[in-house]
Amino acid sequence: MTNLLEKHNVNETLINDWNTIGKRPPLSEIDILRILNEVNTQDIPLQNNTLATLYTMLAFHRLKRHTEEDELIDFILDKARMHDSTIEVYQSIKELKSYFQFYLQLKQLNLDTWSLRETDFDPAKLKKMQEWHDWLDDLQMDMVDLSIQNKELNNMYEEIQQKIIDFKTEIESSIDMLQNKRNGIPVSRLNQYAKDLLHLQNELYQSIPSILQSNEHKTALDKLNEMIGLDEVKGYIEKYYHYLKYQKDRKKLGFHMVDEQGLHMVITGNPGTGKTSIARLLAELYYELGLLESKEVTEVNRSHLVGSYVGQSEENTINYIKKSLGGILFIDEAYSLKRQDQQGSDYGQAVIDTLVSAMTSKEYGDRFVVILAGYPEEMRQFLWSNPGLRSRFPDQNFITLPDFEMEELKHIAENTALSNDYFFTEEALKRLETLIDQAKVDDTFGNARTVRDIVLKAIFNKGAAETVGDNNNWLDHMRIDQQDLDLISNKQDSTDPMQSLDNLIGLANIKEEVKKLSSFVRIQQKRKQLGYPSVPIQLHAVFSGNPGTGKTTVAKIYSNLLKECGLLKRGHFVIASRSDLVAGYVGQTAIKTKQKIREALGGVLFIDEAYSLFRGKNDFGKEAIDTLVDEMTKHNENLVVILAGYQREMEQFIDSNPGLASRFKKYFHFQDYNVDELIEIVHYHVNRYQYELASGAEGFLQEQFRNNQINGNARFIVNLIDEAIQFQSLRMDLERDDEESFVLLTKADVEKAWDTVKGRD
């Protein structure tokens, strides 16, 4: 029991000292769920009063998250009562829940819209008052007698009750007057009742402990500070807010600013870093300061603005500008408006010209704010290529959102799960970290977006495999276990890579080298975990040897081995050749090479016949090599490159480029198979399809292997057996052999196959 609570940095005394809803509980909702989960699944004993307080804390957190009707709160409070109904805070939460529900009912009336006008015709007045009467009548019927220790809330509740009764009476009297064609409806008094009731509604909300108040009354800065991470951005926006407020207050004193900073903003950041969220908060901030008439954000991208014929882009842009007047026009991926390969039929430039013109025009200027958003590098190039647009955005108004750190991403994941009424076990959280790390391989990583996707996939896996029972196993329906996340990784090959290597025929020197490297990697990883300095690990390799010696097969095993050791995030295997990397004209080879490298990030890029990349100084292959060297440096811990080819050619290729020579320290030479190994490979492929060699066939092959040079090694054997099987099929079809002969490859079949394959060579 002690160990369970200590793990969450709490003890029973601290838990039971929580006795008022005005004080924040010592445990988060997730911590409480984990504790209760371990109590239930591992039969860990806790004192009844401690359990009752834990359940009450949980109800408190749910009440803070779900101020609307939530049946689970009542269920959880009943669980608390079963353990100990004497704790004071239990009754406070139960009664406060009723106040919340009443407040929400009152709020749904939208009292701020209730008003009569003297100029309204009598039928319109009558219709409005009848609606008001029905709504107040329903509200009064739902009200119950509440009495708790909080006298302020009690008095407020009673005052509202009385105000509703008085308001209804006044409405009934006014309706009667109208129905009997009498004049003198007390319009101002009725409007005042509505205002008084709205005022009491707001006072009721303010009387609720602030710790339980929802986000609806929080300022933009409050909401910003509750966001995860973004410390530098928060600091800047807070300074920006105070600067704008200072200038606004300064104007009230009669001062003037000729060179105002302006409100237009550029927000850059990788996917999922919160660009849209920051834009919405800026809209609220501008609105709170009175700098904008509305906090509405009109969100658009290229597809909304760019038309398909002359004049349509200008029309679209003006329409969205008009829609955003008084608020913010938010253009996501704004750099896509100006494409590098833009042709005459692309009208993105028309959007830019129209936007720039509107931002400075008398008709629209200063009546809306533009926020441009996109990836950092793309936005930088886009803005510097458009001086007219760039000049509309002050240097101070450039915000760059950083990628989230791992702890922040885990926090986002837990919040996402909790908002959907789920929580991670600690084992699942560790597995989640691995999945996030595997996804975080390049600049396209979606940050919070990717993490939310992972959480929702886990929820889908759980829902697809389970059924909902009664409330007795309520925690089961909230718990995300490790197996719910394991299904996301889609492990297809669970074979031990070292076992796969041992199963290969021959390759004794290669097996020894790989095992040595594997041991080195594992020991260095352990040393790192224990705090010892680790020796730098060189993982890039050159595989040299003739065709068919197993280079590609071993490279795949090598990638699985590095993934198992934790040195590769994904461990996938990407094969490339010259045609995948080298283009036919200037400028495209680097792009093509980078695309292939991006595909391989987190895994192994295997370049077959790598020496073909270099065919002289004027060959485009040189650009591929230079790009490869640069990208290997950039993605040093996230990419392993294996170069493969003939031994002599590979040595010349590596020596031709100092950048390559300095990055490839590990060399594996694959020797040709000897006679015994070739015969073993023959048996492997024959048995693979449940065939057998007839008497004399093996002897024939041994003799040929001794007396002839075999080009292609294992590849030659595969072709040989395929041909032998085809000759056997032809023979059986002509001779109508019995069923037993279906598995037999005769010496004649093998001889014909030999002549055919060697003839090709």
CSV table of all heavy atoms in Angstrom, one decimal, residues 125-171:
chain,number,residue,atom,x,y,z
A,125,LYS,N,-44.7,41.4,-29.1
A,125,LYS,CA,-44.5,41.4,-27.7
A,125,LYS,C,-45.2,40.2,-27.0
A,125,LYS,O,-44.6,39.5,-26.1
A,125,LYS,CB,-45.1,42.7,-27.1
A,125,LYS,CG,-44.4,44.0,-27.5
A,125,LYS,CD,-45.1,45.2,-26.9
A,125,LYS,CE,-44.4,46.5,-27.3
A,125,LYS,NZ,-45.2,47.7,-26.8
A,126,LEU,N,-46.4,39.9,-27.4
A,126,LEU,CA,-47.1,38.7,-26.8
A,126,LEU,C,-46.3,37.4,-27.1
A,126,LEU,O,-46.2,36.6,-26.2
A,126,LEU,CB,-48.5,38.7,-27.4
A,126,LEU,CG,-49.4,37.6,-26.9
A,126,LEU,CD1,-49.6,37.7,-25.4
A,126,LEU,CD2,-50.8,37.6,-27.6
A,127,LYS,N,-45.9,37.3,-28.3
A,127,LYS,CA,-45.1,36.0,-28.6
A,127,LYS,C,-43.9,35.9,-27.8
A,127,LYS,O,-43.6,34.8,-27.3
A,127,LYS,CB,-44.8,36.0,-30.1
A,127,LYS,CG,-44.1,34.7,-30.6
A,127,LYS,CD,-43.7,34.8,-32.1
A,127,LYS,CE,-43.0,33.5,-32.5
A,127,LYS,NZ,-42.6,33.6,-33.9
A,128,LYS,N,-43.1,37.0,-27.7
A,128,LYS,CA,-41.9,36.9,-26.9
A,128,LYS,C,-42.2,36.6,-25.4
A,128,LYS,O,-41.5,35.7,-24.8
A,128,LYS,CB,-41.2,38.3,-26.9
A,128,LYS,CG,-40.3,38.5,-28.1
A,128,LYS,CD,-39.5,39.8,-28.0
A,128,LYS,CE,-38.6,40.0,-29.3
A,128,LYS,NZ,-37.9,41.2,-29.2
A,129,MET,N,-43.2,37.3,-24.8
A,129,MET,CA,-43.5,37.1,-23.4
A,129,MET,C,-44.0,35.6,-23.2
A,129,MET,O,-43.7,35.1,-22.1
A,129,MET,CB,-44.5,38.1,-22.9
A,129,MET,CG,-43.9,39.5,-22.8
A,129,MET,SD,-44.9,40.7,-21.9
A,129,MET,CE,-46.3,40.9,-23.1
A,130,GLN,N,-44.8,35.1,-24.1
A,130,GLN,CA,-45.3,33.7,-23.9
A,130,GLN,C,-44.1,32.7,-23.9
A,130,GLN,O,-44.1,31.8,-23.2
A,130,GLN,CB,-46.3,33.4,-25.0
A,130,GLN,CG,-47.6,34.0,-24.8
A,130,GLN,CD,-48.6,33.8,-26.0
A,130,GLN,OE1,-48.1,33.6,-27.1
A,130,GLN,NE2,-49.9,33.9,-25.7
A,131,GLU,N,-43.1,33.0,-24.8
A,131,GLU,CA,-41.9,32.2,-24.8
A,131,GLU,C,-41.1,32.3,-23.5
A,131,GLU,O,-40.7,31.3,-23.0
A,131,GLU,CB,-41.0,32.6,-26.0
A,131,GLU,CG,-41.6,32.2,-27.4
A,131,GLU,CD,-40.7,32.7,-28.5
A,131,GLU,OE1,-39.8,33.5,-28.2
A,131,GLU,OE2,-40.9,32.3,-29.7
A,132,TRP,N,-41.0,33.5,-23.1
A,132,TRP,CA,-40.2,33.7,-21.8
A,132,TRP,C,-40.9,33.0,-20.6
A,132,TRP,O,-40.3,32.3,-19.8
A,132,TRP,CB,-40.2,35.2,-21.5
A,132,TRP,CG,-39.3,36.0,-22.4
A,132,TRP,CD1,-38.6,35.6,-23.5
A,132,TRP,CD2,-39.1,37.4,-22.3
A,132,TRP,NE1,-38.0,36.6,-24.1
A,132,TRP,CE2,-38.3,37.8,-23.4
A,132,TRP,CE3,-39.6,38.5,-21.5
A,132,TRP,CZ2,-37.9,39.1,-23.7
A,132,TRP,CZ3,-39.2,39.8,-21.7
A,132,TRP,CH2,-38.3,40.1,-22.8
A,133,HIS,N,-42.2,33.1,-20.6
A,133,HIS,CA,-43.0,32.5,-19.5
A,133,HIS,C,-42.8,31.0,-19.6
A,133,HIS,O,-42.6,30.3,-18.5
A,133,HIS,CB,-44.5,32.8,-19.7
A,133,HIS,CG,-45.4,32.3,-18.6
A,133,HIS,ND1,-45.9,31.0,-18.6
A,133,HIS,CD2,-45.8,32.8,-17.4
A,133,HIS,CE1,-46.6,30.7,-17.5
A,133,HIS,NE2,-46.5,31.9,-16.8
A,134,ASP,N,-42.9,30.4,-20.7
A,134,ASP,CA,-42.7,28.9,-20.8
A,134,ASP,C,-41.3,28.5,-20.4
A,134,ASP,O,-41.2,27.5,-19.6
A,134,ASP,CB,-43.0,28.4,-22.3
A,134,ASP,CG,-44.4,28.6,-22.7
A,134,ASP,OD1,-45.3,28.7,-21.8
A,134,ASP,OD2,-44.7,28.6,-23.9
A,135,TRP,N,-40.3,29.2,-20.8
A,135,TRP,CA,-38.9,28.9,-20.4
A,135,TRP,C,-38.7,29.0,-18.9
A,135,TRP,O,-38.1,28.2,-18.2
A,135,TRP,CB,-37.9,29.8,-21.1
A,135,TRP,CG,-37.9,29.5,-22.6
A,135,TRP,CD1,-38.1,28.4,-23.2
A,135,TRP,CD2,-37.5,30.4,-23.6
A,135,TRP,NE1,-38.0,28.5,-24.6
A,135,TRP,CE2,-37.5,29.8,-24.9
A,135,TRP,CE3,-37.1,31.8,-23.6
A,135,TRP,CZ2,-37.2,30.3,-26.1
A,135,TRP,CZ3,-36.7,32.4,-24.8
A,135,TRP,CH2,-36.8,31.7,-26.1
A,136,LEU,N,-39.2,30.1,-18.3
A,136,LEU,CA,-39.1,30.3,-16.9
A,136,LEU,C,-39.9,29.3,-16.1
A,136,LEU,O,-39.5,28.8,-15.0
A,136,LEU,CB,-39.6,31.7,-16.5
A,136,LEU,CG,-38.7,32.9,-16.9
A,136,LEU,CD1,-39.4,34.2,-16.6
A,136,LEU,CD2,-37.3,32.8,-16.3
A,137,ASP,N,-41.0,28.9,-16.6
A,137,ASP,CA,-41.9,27.8,-16.0
A,137,ASP,C,-41.1,26.5,-15.9
A,137,ASP,O,-41.1,25.8,-14.9
A,137,ASP,CB,-43.2,27.7,-16.7
A,137,ASP,CG,-44.2,26.9,-15.9
A,137,ASP,OD1,-44.4,27.2,-14.7
A,137,ASP,OD2,-44.9,26.0,-16.5
A,138,ASP,N,-40.5,26.1,-17.1
A,138,ASP,CA,-39.7,24.9,-17.1
A,138,ASP,C,-38.6,25.0,-16.1
A,138,ASP,O,-38.3,24.0,-15.4
A,138,ASP,CB,-39.2,24.7,-18.5
A,138,ASP,CG,-40.3,24.3,-19.5
A,138,ASP,OD1,-41.4,23.9,-19.1
A,138,ASP,OD2,-40.1,24.5,-20.7
A,139,LEU,N,-37.9,26.1,-16.1
A,139,LEU,CA,-36.7,26.3,-15.2
A,139,LEU,C,-37.2,26.1,-13.7
A,139,LEU,O,-36.5,25.5,-12.9
A,139,LEU,CB,-36.1,27.6,-15.4
A,139,LEU,CG,-34.8,27.9,-14.6
A,139,LEU,CD1,-33.7,27.0,-14.9
A,139,LEU,CD2,-34.4,29.4,-14.8
A,140,GLN,N,-38.3,26.8,-13.4
A,140,GLN,CA,-38.8,26.7,-12.0
A,140,GLN,C,-39.2,25.3,-11.6
A,140,GLN,O,-39.0,24.9,-10.5
A,140,GLN,CB,-40.0,27.6,-11.9
A,140,GLN,CG,-40.5,27.8,-10.4
A,140,GLN,CD,-41.6,28.8,-10.3
A,140,GLN,OE1,-42.3,29.1,-11.3
A,140,GLN,NE2,-41.9,29.2,-9.1
A,141,MET,N,-39.7,24.5,-12.5
A,141,MET,CA,-40.1,23.1,-12.3
A,141,MET,C,-38.9,22.3,-12.0
A,141,MET,O,-39.0,21.3,-11.2
A,141,MET,CB,-40.9,22.6,-13.4
A,141,MET,CG,-42.3,23.2,-13.6
A,141,MET,SD,-43.2,22.5,-15.0
A,141,MET,CE,-43.3,20.8,-14.6
A,142,ASP,N,-37.8,22.6,-12.7
A,142,ASP,CA,-36.6,21.8,-12.5
A,142,ASP,C,-35.8,22.2,-11.2
A,142,ASP,O,-35.0,21.4,-10.7
A,142,ASP,CB,-35.6,22.0,-13.7
A,142,ASP,CG,-36.2,21.3,-14.9
A,142,ASP,OD1,-37.0,20.4,-14.8
A,142,ASP,OD2,-35.8,21.8,-16.0
A,143,MET,N,-36.1,23.3,-10.6
A,143,MET,CA,-35.4,23.8,-9.4
A,143,MET,C,-35.8,22.9,-8.2
A,143,MET,O,-37.0,22.6,-8.0
A,143,MET,CB,-35.7,25.2,-9.1
A,143,MET,CG,-35.1,26.2,-10.2
A,143,MET,SD,-35.4,27.9,-9.8
A,143,MET,CE,-34.3,28.2,-8.4
A,144,VAL,N,-34.9,22.6,-7.4
A,144,VAL,CA,-35.2,21.8,-6.2
A,144,VAL,C,-34.6,22.6,-5.0
A,144,VAL,O,-33.8,23.5,-5.1
A,144,VAL,CB,-34.5,20.4,-6.2
A,144,VAL,CG1,-35.1,19.6,-7.3
A,144,VAL,CG2,-33.0,20.5,-6.4
A,145,ASP,N,-35.1,22.2,-3.8
A,145,ASP,CA,-34.6,22.9,-2.6
A,145,ASP,C,-33.2,22.4,-2.3
A,145,ASP,O,-33.0,21.2,-2.0
A,145,ASP,CB,-35.6,22.6,-1.4
A,145,ASP,CG,-36.9,23.3,-1.6
A,145,ASP,OD1,-36.9,24.4,-2.3
A,145,ASP,OD2,-37.9,22.8,-1.1
A,146,LEU,N,-32.3,23.3,-2.3
A,146,LEU,CA,-30.9,22.9,-2.0
A,146,LEU,C,-30.4,23.7,-0.8
A,146,LEU,O,-30.8,24.9,-0.6
A,146,LEU,CB,-30.0,23.3,-3.2
A,146,LEU,CG,-30.2,22.6,-4.5
A,146,LEU,CD1,-29.3,23.1,-5.6
A,146,LEU,CD2,-30.0,21.1,-4.3
A,147,SER,N,-29.7,23.0,0.0
A,147,SER,CA,-29.1,23.7,1.2
A,147,SER,C,-27.8,23.1,1.5
A,147,SER,O,-27.7,21.9,1.8
A,147,SER,CB,-30.1,23.5,2.4
A,147,SER,OG,-29.5,24.0,3.6
A,148,ILE,N,-26.7,23.9,1.4
A,148,ILE,CA,-25.4,23.4,1.8
A,148,ILE,C,-24.7,24.4,2.7
A,148,ILE,O,-25.3,25.5,3.0
A,148,ILE,CB,-24.5,23.2,0.5
A,148,ILE,CG1,-24.3,24.5,-0.2
A,148,ILE,CG2,-25.0,22.2,-0.4
A,148,ILE,CD1,-23.3,24.4,-1.3
A,149,GLN,N,-23.6,24.1,3.2
A,149,GLN,CA,-22.9,25.0,4.2
A,149,GLN,C,-22.5,26.3,3.6
A,149,GLN,O,-22.3,27.3,4.3
A,149,GLN,CB,-21.6,24.2,4.7
A,149,GLN,CG,-22.0,23.0,5.4
A,149,GLN,CD,-20.7,22.2,5.8
A,149,GLN,OE1,-19.6,22.6,5.5
A,149,GLN,NE2,-20.9,21.1,6.5
A,150,ASN,N,-22.4,26.4,2.3
A,150,ASN,CA,-22.0,27.7,1.7
A,150,ASN,C,-23.2,28.6,1.6
A,150,ASN,O,-24.1,28.5,0.8
A,150,ASN,CB,-21.5,27.4,0.2
A,150,ASN,CG,-20.8,28.6,-0.4
A,150,ASN,OD1,-21.3,29.7,-0.2
A,150,ASN,ND2,-19.7,28.4,-1.1
A,151,LYS,N,-23.2,29.5,2.6
A,151,LYS,CA,-24.4,30.4,2.7
A,151,LYS,C,-24.5,31.3,1.5
A,151,LYS,O,-25.6,31.7,1.1
A,151,LYS,CB,-24.3,31.2,4.0
A,151,LYS,CG,-24.4,30.4,5.3
A,151,LYS,CD,-24.3,31.3,6.5
A,151,LYS,CE,-24.5,30.5,7.8
A,151,LYS,NZ,-24.4,31.3,9.0
A,152,GLU,N,-23.4,31.8,1.0
A,152,GLU,CA,-23.4,32.7,-0.2
A,152,GLU,C,-24.2,32.0,-1.4
A,152,GLU,O,-25.0,32.6,-2.0
A,152,GLU,CB,-22.0,33.1,-0.6
A,152,GLU,CG,-22.0,34.1,-1.7
A,152,GLU,CD,-20.5,34.5,-2.1
A,152,GLU,OE1,-19.6,33.9,-1.5
A,152,GLU,OE2,-20.4,35.3,-2.9
A,153,LEU,N,-23.8,30.8,-1.6
A,153,LEU,CA,-24.5,30.0,-2.7
A,153,LEU,C,-26.0,29.8,-2.4
A,153,LEU,O,-26.8,30.0,-3.3
A,153,LEU,CB,-23.8,28.7,-3.0
A,153,LEU,CG,-22.6,28.7,-3.9
A,153,LEU,CD1,-22.0,27.3,-3.9
A,153,LEU,CD2,-23.0,29.1,-5.3
A,154,ASN,N,-26.3,29.5,-1.1
A,154,ASN,CA,-27.7,29.3,-0.7
A,154,ASN,C,-28.5,30.6,-0.9
A,154,ASN,O,-29.6,30.5,-1.5
A,154,ASN,CB,-27.7,28.9,0.7
A,154,ASN,CG,-27.9,27.4,0.9
A,154,ASN,OD1,-28.5,26.7,0.0
A,154,ASN,ND2,-27.6,26.8,2.0
A,155,ASN,N,-28.0,31.7,-0.5
A,155,ASN,CA,-28.7,32.9,-0.6
A,155,ASN,C,-28.9,33.3,-2.1
A,155,ASN,O,-29.9,33.8,-2.4
A,155,ASN,CB,-27.9,34.1,0.1
A,155,ASN,CG,-27.9,33.8,1.6
A,155,ASN,OD1,-28.7,33.1,2.2
A,155,ASN,ND2,-26.9,34.4,2.3
A,156,MET,N,-27.8,33.1,-2.9
A,156,MET,CA,-27.9,33.4,-4.3
A,156,MET,C,-29.0,32.5,-5.0
A,156,MET,O,-29.8,33.0,-5.8
A,156,MET,CB,-26.6,33.1,-5.0
A,156,MET,CG,-26.5,33.6,-6.4
A,156,MET,SD,-26.3,35.4,-6.4
A,156,MET,CE,-24.8,35.6,-5.5
A,157,TYR,N,-29.1,31.3,-4.6
A,157,TYR,CA,-30.0,30.4,-5.2
A,157,TYR,C,-31.5,30.8,-4.8
A,157,TYR,O,-32.4,30.8,-5.7
A,157,TYR,CB,-29.8,28.9,-4.7
A,157,TYR,CG,-30.6,27.9,-5.3
A,157,TYR,CD1,-30.3,27.5,-6.6
A,157,TYR,CD2,-31.6,27.2,-4.6
A,157,TYR,CE1,-31.1,26.4,-7.2
A,157,TYR,CE2,-32.4,26.2,-5.2
A,157,TYR,CZ,-32.1,25.8,-6.5
A,157,TYR,OH,-32.8,24.8,-7.1
A,158,GLU,N,-31.7,31.2,-3.5
A,158,GLU,CA,-33.0,31.6,-3.1
A,158,GLU,C,-33.4,32.9,-3.8
A,158,GLU,O,-34.5,33.1,-4.1
A,158,GLU,CB,-33.0,31.8,-1.6
A,158,GLU,CG,-32.9,30.4,-0.8
A,158,GLU,CD,-32.7,30.6,0.7
A,158,GLU,OE1,-32.7,31.8,1.1
A,158,GLU,OE2,-32.6,29.6,1.4
A,159,GLU,N,-32.4,33.8,-3.9
A,159,GLU,CA,-32.7,35.1,-4.6
A,159,GLU,C,-33.1,34.9,-6.0
A,159,GLU,O,-34.0,35.5,-6.5
A,159,GLU,CB,-31.5,36.0,-4.5
A,159,GLU,CG,-31.7,37.4,-5.0
A,159,GLU,CD,-30.5,38.3,-4.8
A,159,GLU,OE1,-29.5,37.9,-4.3
A,159,GLU,OE2,-30.6,39.5,-5.3
A,160,ILE,N,-32.4,33.9,-6.7
A,160,ILE,CA,-32.8,33.6,-8.1
A,160,ILE,C,-34.2,33.0,-8.2
A,160,ILE,O,-35.0,33.3,-9.1
A,160,ILE,CB,-31.8,32.7,-8.7
A,160,ILE,CG1,-30.4,33.4,-8.9
A,160,ILE,CG2,-32.2,32.2,-10.1
A,160,ILE,CD1,-29.3,32.6,-9.4
A,161,GLN,N,-34.5,32.1,-7.2
A,161,GLN,CA,-35.8,31.5,-7.2
A,161,GLN,C,-36.9,32.6,-7.1
A,161,GLN,O,-37.9,32.6,-7.8
A,161,GLN,CB,-35.9,30.6,-6.0
A,161,GLN,CG,-35.4,29.2,-6.2
A,161,GLN,CD,-35.6,28.3,-5.0
A,161,GLN,OE1,-35.4,28.7,-3.9
A,161,GLN,NE2,-36.1,27.1,-5.2
A,162,GLN,N,-36.7,33.5,-6.2
A,162,GLN,CA,-37.7,34.6,-6.0
A,162,GLN,C,-37.7,35.5,-7.2
A,162,GLN,O,-38.8,35.9,-7.6
A,162,GLN,CB,-37.3,35.4,-4.7
A,162,GLN,CG,-38.4,36.4,-4.3
A,162,GLN,CD,-39.7,35.8,-4.0
A,162,GLN,OE1,-39.7,34.8,-3.2
A,162,GLN,NE2,-40.8,36.2,-4.7
A,163,LYS,N,-36.6,35.8,-7.8
A,163,LYS,CA,-36.6,36.6,-9.0
A,163,LYS,C,-37.4,36.0,-10.1
A,163,LYS,O,-38.1,36.7,-10.9
A,163,LYS,CB,-35.2,36.9,-9.4
A,163,LYS,CG,-35.0,37.9,-10.6
A,163,LYS,CD,-35.6,39.3,-10.3
A,163,LYS,CE,-34.7,40.0,-9.3
A,163,LYS,NZ,-35.1,41.4,-9.2
A,164,ILE,N,-37.3,34.7,-10.3
A,164,ILE,CA,-38.0,34.0,-11.3
A,164,ILE,C,-39.5,34.0,-11.1
A,164,ILE,O,-40.3,34.3,-12.0
A,164,ILE,CB,-37.5,32.5,-11.4
A,164,ILE,CG1,-36.1,32.4,-12.0
A,164,ILE,CG2,-38.5,31.6,-12.3
A,164,ILE,CD1,-35.5,31.0,-11.9
A,165,ILE,N,-39.9,33.9,-9.8
A,165,ILE,CA,-41.3,33.9,-9.4
A,165,ILE,C,-41.8,35.3,-9.8
A,165,ILE,O,-42.9,35.5,-10.4
A,165,ILE,CB,-41.5,33.6,-8.0
A,165,ILE,CG1,-41.2,32.1,-7.7
A,165,ILE,CG2,-42.9,33.9,-7.5
A,165,ILE,CD1,-41.1,31.8,-6.2
A,166,ASP,N,-41.1,36.4,-9.4
A,166,ASP,CA,-41.5,37.7,-9.6
A,166,ASP,C,-41.6,38.1,-11.1
A,166,ASP,O,-42.5,38.7,-11.6
A,166,ASP,CB,-40.6,38.7,-8.9
A,166,ASP,CG,-40.7,38.6,-7.4
A,166,ASP,OD1,-41.6,38.0,-6.9
A,166,ASP,OD2,-39.7,39.1,-6.7
A,167,PHE,N,-40.6,37.6,-11.8
A,167,PHE,CA,-40.5,37.8,-13.3
A,167,PHE,C,-41.7,37.1,-14.0
A,167,PHE,O,-42.4,37.7,-14.8
A,167,PHE,CB,-39.2,37.3,-13.8
A,167,PHE,CG,-38.9,37.7,-15.2
A,167,PHE,CD1,-39.6,38.7,-15.9
A,167,PHE,CD2,-37.7,37.2,-15.8
A,167,PHE,CE1,-39.3,39.1,-17.2
A,167,PHE,CE2,-37.4,37.6,-17.1
A,167,PHE,CZ,-38.1,38.6,-17.8
A,168,LYS,N,-42.0,35.9,-13.6
A,168,LYS,CA,-43.2,35.2,-14.1
A,168,LYS,C,-44.5,35.9,-13.9
A,168,LYS,O,-45.3,36.0,-14.8
A,168,LYS,CB,-43.2,33.7,-13.6
A,168,LYS,CG,-42.4,32.7,-14.3
A,168,LYS,CD,-42.6,31.3,-13.7
A,168,LYS,CE,-44.1,30.9,-13.8
A,168,LYS,NZ,-44.3,29.6,-13.2
A,169,THR,N,-44.6,36.4,-12.6
A,169,THR,CA,-45.8,37.1,-12.3
A,169,THR,C,-46.0,38.4,-13.1
A,169,THR,O,-47.1,38.7,-13.6
A,169,THR,CB,-45.8,37.5,-10.8
A,169,THR,OG1,-45.6,36.3,-10.0
A,169,THR,CG2,-47.1,38.2,-10.4
A,170,GLU,N,-44.9,39.1,-13.3
A,170,GLU,CA,-45.0,40.3,-14.1
A,170,GLU,C,-45.3,40.0,-15.6
A,170,GLU,O,-46.1,40.7,-16.3
A,170,GLU,CB,-43.6,41.0,-14.1
A,170,GLU,CG,-43.6,42.4,-14.7
A,170,GLU,CD,-44.4,43.4,-13.8
A,170,GLU,OE1,-44.1,43.5,-12.6
A,170,GLU,OE2,-45.3,44.1,-14.3
A,171,ILE,N,-44.7,38.9,-16.1
A,171,ILE,CA,-45.0,38.4,-17.5
A,171,ILE,C,-46.5,38.0,-17.6
A,171,ILE,O,-47.2,38.4,-18.6
A,171,ILE,CB,-44.1,37.3,-17.9
A,171,ILE,CG1,-42.6,37.8,-18.1
A,171,ILE,CG2,-44.6,36.7,-19.2
A,171,ILE,CD1,-41.6,36.7,-18.3
